[in-house]
Amino acid sequence: MAPAPRPRASGVLLHVTSLPSAYGIGDMGSAAREFVDFLHASGQRWWQILPLNPTEAVMGSSPYSSPSLFAGNPLLISPEALAAEGWLRLADLGGPAPDGGDRVDFEAVQAHREALLALAFERARPRLGAHQGFARFVATHGPAWLDDYACFTVLKARQGGAPWTAWPEALRRREPGALAALRRDEAPALDAVRFTQYLFFSQWAALRRHCAARGVGIIGDLPFYPCLDSADVWAHPHCFQLDPELRPTVVAGVPPDYFSATGQLWGNPVYDWEAQAKDGYSWWLSRLGHNLAWADLVRLDHFRALAAYWVVPPHEATAQGGWWVPGPGAEFLRAARARFPELPLLAEDLGLITDDVIALREDFGLPGMRVLQFGLGPDAGESTNALHNHCRASVAYTGTHDNNTSLGWFLDELGDAGRAALADYLGHMPARDDAAWAMVRLALMSPARLAVLPAQDLLGLDSRARMNTPAVPSGNWAWRLGPRDLTPALAQRLRHLCRLYGRA
């Protein structure tokens, strides 16, 4: 007897920063719980987020460019929850806060949040030594990543924000004496970093419990590469292709594609897979396990790099002068499956996908991504992203965080010929006000077991609500929901379609 098919489901893509709040940025407080309640009311089983790692203004506040692949973003810590938990007083929250409008001012938010967290640490410091939860957190995460991240953060502040590659030699090389002196001289500052991370993970655990109570799972996001100026590369240089002076011999990117005619030059150091294979990919598997501990399913960004990855000489101006290098492929995924037998990964298989990438994903039973915006053009008949070519073992999207909103795509990118092709596919020309929901309906009727809908498409928003434009270094990641956008009528409309297409 054939096994019963897994149930169809759907979810919403919305990063935590995009939630409404009174403190200038979405956080893990009451608005996050209200959003989970909306998901439950609208028949959704999944909430997909972007990476939760710290962001930096100098990197455009991108969640994919972080000083740590393990740490949580302090900007997501809820001030109201800090007061409810007793770390702050309500009066502490009454001062000037960043504007709570529809765009995040990351620099203003960072200054505000750092001041509150510093105050919370000063209030907590006398009792931290006896705080069992904090002690357990440090004992669990300290040896794995927390101590390195705390040292990196404090050293970077001491060095005036300079990248670790410009630090004094003893610190660049992590000489034991230099690190011992740091731990002796900067103990309070190191504890402040550890305490902030404890607050983040405590609030995230509480939000996860609320999700579980509402039957909502989290789809996390695992960036493929770290930044060069990160605790990860500083603490584990042997995992990367660096020269004897700890400089990258090649950097990461992708060749010319849908998003950029010159490719995307990311500049991240690339992995030394041969060196990592010698210890069974222990560092990579530790970060995979870390991400699986804070999500139910993890989207593996840039999955195609496991088959082959694009490298570029470090001084090139664009990614065009690069070449392909074979990745670790099946050997790595076998090691991952041995550690995590269910392998709850979603493969981001967008861009230039070759037969070896498809074979690798299929051999390990990983669902891939099917993006309708990529499939509804003149070549829809053959496109794997077109609705009729979706397979059950995939996840259907109207668009991703890198796409325009569906309405913005319809108005600004398709052109007359593209809109005519879309109308031919749909059997009618959607009106402006119905274009986004026409795409939502297609995603929900997809054969794919899971459909994920960007919140902007549920609201029918145009390109002003776009989350990210690849290869554009500024002005991204800042869009936010309004406090009254997610209405009961919207929940009812979405739930009706999910019932109609067997996803509720």
Side-chain angles (χ1 to χ4, degrees):
M1 183 175 181
R6 294 176 62 185
R8 287 163 60 80
S10 58
V12 174
L13 169 59
L14 180 79
H15 193 37
V16 180
T17 59
S18 295
L19 291 163
S21 82
Y23 302 97
I25 191 171
D27 58 41
M28 298 179 285
S30 59
R33 293 190 295 275
E34 290 168 4
F35 177 66
V36 174
D37 294 344
F38 169 84
L39 294 176
H40 175 73
S42 59
Q44 307 309 295
R45 295 186 201 163
W46 293 97
W47 175 10
Q48 181 168 339
I49 58 174
L50 304 184
L52 296 173
N53 310 107
T55 57
E56 295 183 312
V58 70
M59 300 300 293
S61 299
S62 168
Y64 295 90
S65 299
S66 176
S68 173
L69 294 175
F70 289 80
N73 190 345
L75 303 186
L76 305 184
I77 295 173
S78 165
E80 63 179 355
L82 291 180
E85 294 157 2
W87 301 112
L88 291 174
R89 305 179 188 121
L90 282 174
D92 298 329
L93 310 184
D99 177 52
D102 62 356
R103 305 287 294 178
V104 179
D105 182 339
F106 284 100
E107 292 188 12
V109 165
Q110 182 168 343
H112 178 263
R113 202 60 44 93
E114 285 178 351
L116 286 182
L117 291 171
L119 179 59
F121 175 67
E122 286 306 310
R123 294 259 173 82
R125 188 177 169 191
R127 51 195 169 110
L128 271 187
H131 194 283
Q132 294 183 355
F134 177 68
R136 282 194 301 270
F137 177 78
V138 172
T140 299
H141 296 284
W145 63 270
L146 181 60
D147 290 345
D148 286 328
Y149 175 67
C151 288
F152 176 86
T153 303
V154 171
L155 281 171
K156 194 169 176 66
R158 276 181 38 171
Q159 297 297 320
W164 70 265
T165 52
W167 294 352
E169 189 72 3
L171 298 175
R172 288 176 64 237
R173 303 280 181 182
R174 296 174 52 88
E175 293 181 4
L179 293 183
L182 174 73
R183 295 184 180 105
R184 180 189 66 242
D185 298 340
E186 298 284 1
L190 294 169
D191 270 344
V193 177
R194 297 183 184 107
F195 177 67
T196 295
Q197 289 301 303
Y198 171 68
L199 295 177
F200 175 91
F201 282 93
S202 297
Q203 289 193 7
W204 183 249
L207 182 56
R208 288 285 307 282
R209 290 192 292 272
H210 187 78
C211 289
R214 296 293 186 269
V216 173
I218 296 288
I219 302 175
D221 199 326
L222 188 138
F224 196 78
Y225 291 117
C227 294
L228 174 61
D229 188 26
S230 66
D232 311 291
V233 183
W234 175 65
H236 304 278
H238 63 284
C239 291
F240 300 88
Q241 295 185 38
L242 307 180
D243 67 17
E245 296 303 313
L246 302 178
R247 297 171 302 203
T249 57
V250 289
V251 296
V254 290
D257 61 8
Y258 173 89
F259 292 111
S260 174
T262 60
Q264 297 178 49
L265 183 60
W266 299 333
N268 308 72
V270 300
Y271 297 113
D272 186 336
W273 288 114
E274 184 177 347
Q276 293 204 42
K278 293 176 181 177
D279 68 356
Y281 306 100
S282 63
W283 179 82
W284 235 102
L285 296 183
S286 71
R287 67 175 293 237
L288 185 55
H290 183 73
N291 277 264
L292 289 172
W294 63 9
D296 301 284
L297 176 67
V298 170
R299 172 188 177 271
L300 179 54
D301 191 41
H302 199 42
F303 175 81
R304 73 106 49 245
L306 293 180
Y309 54 97
W310 190 254
V311 300
V312 184
H315 302 300
E316 289 283 326
T318 75
Q320 289 173 290
W323 61 91
W324 291 108
V325 177
E331 181 183 17
F332 169 77
L333 287 174
R334 281 194 293 268
R337 190 165 58 187
R339 179 82 67 88
F340 313 104
E342 294 186 2
L343 209 57
L345 299 177
L346 162 61
E348 186 274 291
D349 56 348
L350 305 175
L352 183 58
I353 300 303
T354 48
D355 290 344
D356 56 341
V357 182
I358 297 170
L360 186 64
R361 179 181 57 75
E362 291 181 346
D363 287 349
F364 285 85
L366 302 179
M369 296 174 62
R370 299 294 174 262
V371 180
L372 287 170
Q373 285 187 25
F374 294 151
L376 298 181
D379 62 344
E382 303 301 322
S383 173
T384 58
N385 287 292
L387 175 69
H388 59 276
N389 285 326
H390 290 189
C391 63
R392 288 172 57 201
S394 63
V395 182
Y397 292 81
T398 55
T400 74
H401 64 270
D402 282 334
N403 290 88
N404 205 337
T405 67
S406 285
L407 179 57
W409 169 77
F410 178 78
L411 295 176
D412 304 331
E413 296 184 18
L414 277 182
D416 292 340
R419 282 189 287 272
L422 175 63
D424 197 24
Y425 192 89
L426 294 174
H428 70 283
M429 177 65 77
R432 182 192 188 283
D433 292 342
D434 193 47
W437 274 86
M439 297 289 283
V440 167
R441 185 181 289 268
L442 286 180
L444 292 175
M445 71 169 65
S446 167
R449 289 196 185 107
L450 176 59
V452 175
L453 313 166
Q456 294 95 317
D457 288 351
L458 299 180
L459 298 171
L461 300 179
D462 62 21
S463 58
R464 290 171 292 183
R466 182 170 185 162
M467 194 64 171
N468 181 51
T469 304
V472 174
S474 62
N476 295 313
W477 315 110
W479 175 78
R480 297 180 67 201
L481 277 172
R484 290 174 291 278
D485 282 347
L486 302 180
T487 63
L490 179 61
Q492 183 178 9
R493 182 181 187 184
L494 181 55
R495 188 177 187 91
H496 168 73
L497 284 184
C498 288
R499 283 176 172 162
L500 181 64
Y501 297 118
R503 297 189 184 275

